[in-house]
Amino acid sequence: MKSFILNILFLCSLSGYSQIANYNQFPTMKPLHILDEKLDNISFAFSMRVLESDYEGPLIRLRKARIAGVLIDEEKDFGWADNDIVDVAAIDAWRGTSEVYVTIWYDQSGLGRNAVQTNILFQPVFYTNTVLPYFQGDGINDFLTVSGGGIQVVTTNGVQGTVIGTMRATNRNQHSFGVLTGSDRWSSHVNWSDGSLYFDPGFCCNNPRSFNNSGKAGFWDIYTFIKTATNAIVRSTLVERFNGTHTSGRCTRTENFAICWAAGDGTINYATTGFNELIMYKTDIAATQYQEIESDSKTFWGI
């Protein structure tokens, strides 16, 4: 973004318009990336593409386990290629025939809340799909934890919050993200074994809390989960699936937000949900904002 601005200023100075001095004085120009003007109240921003023009770090750190059968456990950071997607060609060249695992999914929000797994036994497998790269847990013990991402911090005191994700649903007894101990939770199942998607942003169980999502098992979609001061809302494919009053109380847990699992749930219900993008705000953001992010993700990833 900075080099783009400098080029504009240089061209303008040649034309005698050197008084034009910053990006905001071009009101008809759209942001280059979807989060350029959407960082207020953000909790974290993970993706297999660049989301914010000023972000200069890597997108993901991966670990390759073996070369020619020899255990090496080598790690490396990867940024994005010219198409704004994580550099799959560079990853394939580096990994050779080795499987690769997620060590860090880097936060692009500027808050440094990276999703991390340092235990090599619990790292999800990363898949170098050239169109839609992603990772997926094994449903046994794989998960990532958001550093500094206590649920009371990434939501508004265990109540309001918005999660927008590009995910591939699977049907099993699983917690796809969040925190959970018994009925005290801020979490979701994408999907549960009955083929329904559930969202419990507070003490369980409140209705409405689910919709039948069995037809999307094995397919990618854009999912949005919103908790307002009073209501729980879920959207998929840019359509509202349910919106109802949540009366059973706030989440009081303090664990860090987890991905591929709900932190605090013992050693059970790990997920096989696929993850490509996950953005969270600590408030119930405006409909115009989440709808714009949804539409951009759907278009960008061709879902």
Side-chain angles (χ1 to χ4, degrees):
M1 173 65 80
K2 295 174 183 175
S3 61
F4 173 77
I5 296 170
L6 290 174
N7 289 335
I8 290 292
L9 294 177
F10 177 71
L11 292 173
C12 290
S13 66
L14 291 178
S15 303
Y17 292 95
S18 57
Q19 71 271 25
I20 298 175
N22 61 63
Y23 176 88
N24 291 332
Q25 289 177 288
F26 294 90
T28 60
M29 297 180 67
K30 294 183 178 179
L32 295 180
H33 298 96
I34 188 59
L35 296 189
D36 283 359
E37 298 174 354
K38 297 180 177 64
L39 294 180
D40 290 347
N41 294 312
I42 201 161
S43 293
F44 52 72
F46 307 123
S47 184
M48 301 305 172
R49 59 167 170 157
V50 60
L51 295 170
E52 207 277 326
S53 295
D54 289 332
Y55 179 70
E56 297 178 347
L59 297 183
I60 201 161
R61 174 174 290 185
L62 300 174
R63 176 183 63 88
K64 62 178 176 180
R66 297 176 183 271
I67 294 180
V70 178
L71 183 65
I72 58 169
D73 286 333
E74 179 183 335
E75 297 182 3
K76 187 172 181 178
D77 287 336
F78 292 92
W80 54 92
D82 290 342
N83 61 2
D84 278 357
I85 299 175
V86 66
D87 197 339
V88 171
I91 295 170
D92 279 337
W94 171 71
R95 74 183 183 94
T97 59
S98 176
E99 280 196 325
V100 285
Y101 303 85
V102 179
T103 299
I104 303 174
W105 202 9
Y106 287 100
D107 176 21
Q108 299 182 46
S109 73
L111 298 172
R113 292 178 180 153
N114 302 325
V116 179
Q117 182 53 263
T118 58
N119 189 325
I120 64 172
L121 299 178
F122 302 156
Q123 293 171 347
V125 175
F126 179 83
Y127 295 91
T128 54
N129 185 307
T130 57
V131 176
L132 207 154
Y134 68 100
F135 68 83
Q136 181 174 338
D138 61 3
I140 300 173
N141 53 20
D142 293 349
F143 69 100
L144 305 176
T145 302
V146 177
S147 300
I151 193 64
Q152 302 299 319
V153 174
V154 300
T155 63
T156 302
N157 301 318
V159 184
Q160 291 103 314
T162 303
V163 174
I164 307 167
T166 305
M167 307 180 203
R168 187 174 67 180
T170 57
N171 295 336
R172 63 179 285 117
N173 290 6
Q174 62 185 340
H175 302 304
S176 298
F177 64 73
V179 303
L180 180 151
T181 299
S183 295
D184 195 354
R185 58 183 71 177
W186 210 103
S187 62
S188 183
H189 316 306
V190 186
N191 297 325
W192 196 247
S193 56
D194 61 2
S196 291
L197 181 151
Y198 290 80
F199 180 42
D200 294 301
F203 210 84
C204 184
C205 294
N206 188 92
N207 286 307
R209 61 189 286 253
S210 67
F211 70 95
N212 188 314
N213 197 45
S214 57
K216 279 293 184 176
F219 296 93
W220 290 96
D221 206 345
I222 311 299
Y223 295 99
T224 300
F225 308 82
I226 306 160
K227 176 61 173 68
T228 72
T230 59
N231 283 33
I233 305 164
V234 169
R235 296 166 52 84
S236 69
T237 324
L238 283 59
V239 174
E240 187 172 279
R241 302 302 178 181
F242 68 78
N243 182 345
T245 305
H246 190 284
T247 60
S248 56
R250 61 178 281 266
C251 172
T252 67
R253 302 305 308 168
T254 58
E255 290 88 353
N256 284 1
F257 192 101
I259 303 170
C260 279
W261 183 52
D265 193 35
T267 57
I268 59 174
N269 297 323
Y270 295 90
T272 57
T273 309
F275 288 90
N276 162 272
E277 192 164 285
L278 198 68
I279 301 166
M280 185 170 187
Y281 292 85
K282 65 181 180 180
T283 62
D284 48 321
I285 61 174
T288 53
Q289 182 166 330
Y290 66 69
Q291 288 171 7
E292 186 177 353
I293 296 172
E294 289 174 344
S295 296
D296 182 82
S297 297
K298 188 176 189 300
T299 300
F300 185 92
W301 295 114
I303 295 172

